[in-house]
Amino acid sequence: MITLKDYLGGIYKEITNAKVQSDLETLVIAQEYLNDPMLKHFSVPNIRMKNIELNIPVAIDTVNFSPYANVTEIKMNEIYEHAFNSSYETFYKKTTPIDVTEKVIPIINEASKKFVFDFQSIDTNSIDIVNNFVTEQTINFAKNTYSYFEGITSYQEYEKNDLLVVKTDFDALRPVMSDIPVIVETQKLKDINASGNLITIKMNVYNDNMEWTTEANEDGSYTDVLTYE
């Protein structure tokens, strides 16, 4: 299994290595020209890479990839606890922390179990369905959590705050694009029938050379610094 960042990083690395090999060969040829009485009057051939545009086909490796693999009871416990603590500190401070802990822990545990269990039955390929599910579960959590707290007559501010925290934390469970496993072998790409799994990545590589320069320090010493030309 290879991730998208590893694959694209490997391409960048090989392009850089190609430039290094080209420069080394240029040095060898330049020395030959210098030592030849006839060739030394000619320009030394050198290849420069300016801008390279690549169209790279890949496919999402659905066998080794699940966008919601991190949705576990432990993670949802942490998310619900974060949401409650945020709302409690912001809106409600009448109950002692010990009382709050005793009341809320069982609710958080039950809400986390329900979330993970029910989540398995929805279409996770639909972002709208997932978002609606998270909203519904969080609103139920808020009602169950704050319904018996003394003096609370409206749950809207609690629900709003819980939704903000839960959605933000839940979105963070999704893997970033660069960590997605991909299929890159030509034959395997030809055999894939689901066009929705195929991606064409347009990558532009620009030549941006660097050089070593020597800078003088205040104490009279010198430092070698790698800078762009």
Side-chain angles (χ1 to χ4, degrees), residues 71 76 79-80 83 107-122 129-146 159 162-163 166-167 170:
V71 179
M76 291 311 304
I79 290 175
Y80 278 139
I107 298 176
I108 291 178
N109 291 339
E110 185 61 32
S112 301
K113 291 179 181 179
K114 178 174 173 52
F115 187 104
V116 174
F117 180 80
D118 293 348
F119 190 73
Q120 299 173 13
S121 63
I122 70 171
I129 291 178
V130 171
N131 288 339
N132 290 337
F133 175 82
V134 173
T135 298
E136 179 183 350
Q137 293 282 321
T138 305
I139 289 176
N140 289 334
F141 166 75
K143 288 180 178 178
N144 292 334
T145 302
Y146 308 109
E159 291 176 1
D162 282 4
L163 278 171
V166 171
K167 286 187 174 182
F170 184 81

Side-chain angles (χ1 to χ4, degrees), residues 60-225:
I60 297 175
D61 187 354
T62 55
V63 174
N64 295 303
F65 173 66
S66 172
Y68 299 103
N70 293 326
V71 179
T72 63
E73 286 187 26
I74 293 177
K75 288 295 183 182
M76 291 311 304
N77 238 285
E78 294 174 355
I79 290 175
Y80 278 139
E81 185 176 351
H82 181 202
F84 169 77
N85 287 336
S86 175
S87 293
Y88 174 76
E89 290 297 326
T90 303
F91 304 115
Y92 194 92
K93 294 185 179 180
K94 295 181 181 180
T95 308
T96 64
I98 295 177
D99 292 336
V100 169
T101 300
E102 291 177 350
K103 293 177 181 179
V104 172
I105 285 180
I107 298 176
I108 291 178
N109 291 339
E110 185 61 32
S112 301
K113 291 179 181 179
K114 178 174 173 52
F115 187 104
V116 174
F117 180 80
D118 293 348
F119 190 73
Q120 299 173 13
S121 63
I122 70 171
D123 181 9
T124 55
N125 292 317
S126 171
I127 296 297
D128 289 338
I129 291 178
V130 171
N131 288 339
N132 290 337
F133 175 82
V134 173
T135 298
E136 179 183 350
Q137 293 282 321
T138 305
I139 289 176
N140 289 334
F141 166 75
K143 288 180 178 178
N144 292 334
T145 302
Y146 308 109
S147 59
Y148 54 79
F149 275 31
E150 179 185 350
I152 297 180
T153 57
S154 175
Y155 307 108
Q156 290 185 351
E157 58 186 6
Y158 295 85
E159 291 176 1
K160 184 177 180 180
N161 188 72
D162 282 4
L163 278 171
L164 176 63
V165 175
V166 171
K167 286 187 174 182
T168 300
D169 290 358
F170 184 81
D171 286 342
L173 296 180
R174 298 186 178 111
V176 295
M177 185 67 178
S178 59
D179 290 329
I180 294 177
V182 292
I183 297 170
V184 299
E185 296 87 348
T186 302
Q187 187 56 52
K188 290 183 178 180
L189 290 174
K190 291 181 179 179
D191 295 338
I192 294 177
N193 295 321
S195 59
N197 292 336
L198 294 172
I199 303 173
T200 299
I201 299 173
K202 183 177 180 181
M203 186 168 75
N204 292 299
V205 182
Y206 301 98
N207 185 43
D208 201 0
N209 293 325
M210 305 183 76
E211 63 180 0
W212 285 103
T213 58
T214 302
E215 296 183 354
N217 301 318
E218 293 182 357
D219 60 1
S221 61
Y222 294 90
T223 302
D224 292 329
V225 180

